[in-house]
Amino acid sequence: ARRPFATPDELKAAAEAIAGELGREDWLEAFARHPQIGERADGAVATSTGALSSAWSAQEQVGARDAGPDTRAALDEANRAYRERFGYIFIVCASGRSGEEMLALCRQRLGNDPERELSVAAAEQRRIAGLRLQRLLAP
């Protein structure tokens, strides 16, 4: 409804404004579209945007994929604990982070109360979306 955008900055500002209006259910829907940290992002995807998102998820999570077996096992356990505590997958902007860093962040965030954690997860989701939007707009 806000299109067309005159500049990339105008598009980014609109995306931020919309993100600021989202409620809990909106964030949960966004989180549900992500693979779990350390999980492969493959499977049938109906759209080219979905395929691109899947490929980007795999790229972004290279730190988890390349982690040693002990770290991957610990990530699996932390992911389970996180989902049990909060009811959704652990969301973190994984770009440039090692498996060990993501594991430490997950363990740390398990101590958050549910309201605080939703806010932190939403901020991470916004970072992910911002990076992906930047990639889409890159020449």
Side-chain angles (χ1 to χ4, degrees):
R2 297 179 190 211
R3 292 180 305 187
F5 299 102
T7 66
D9 286 341
E10 193 177 301
L11 171 59
K12 291 173 191 174
E16 272 302 308
I18 291 166
E21 298 167 4
L22 299 179
R24 182 178 198 281
E25 293 307 313
D26 300 310
W27 289 116
L28 295 180
E29 182 180 346
F31 302 162
R33 305 246 181 229
H34 285 276
Q36 179 174 281
I37 292 296
E39 179 179 79
R40 289 189 45 162
D42 54 15
V45 179
T47 66
S48 60
T49 304
L52 192 55
S53 179
S54 242
W56 285 345
S57 286
Q59 267 183 308
E60 293 160 358
Q61 291 194 31
V62 71
R65 189 185 65 233
D66 290 350
D70 291 344
T71 299
R72 286 194 313 268
L75 261 173
D76 285 346
E77 182 55 39
N79 279 320
R80 272 191 292 283
Y82 185 96
R83 184 183 288 273
E84 286 174 15
R85 173 146 169 72
F86 298 112
Y88 51 88
I89 68 165
F90 172 61
I91 296 291
V92 65
C93 185
S95 293
R97 289 192 167 135
S98 69
E100 292 80 9
E101 287 175 288
M102 289 181 274
L103 175 60
L105 284 169
C106 186
R107 287 175 171 165
Q108 174 190 15
R109 287 172 47 190
L110 277 164
N112 287 342
D113 66 77
E115 186 176 325
R116 170 75 181 130
E117 184 52 30
L118 181 66
S119 175
V120 171
E124 291 293 312
Q125 174 67 38
R126 288 169 91 159
R127 286 184 61 208
I128 294 164
L131 288 173
R132 291 180 182 182
L133 185 57
Q134 215 172 332
R135 285 182 188 157
L136 281 172
L137 296 173

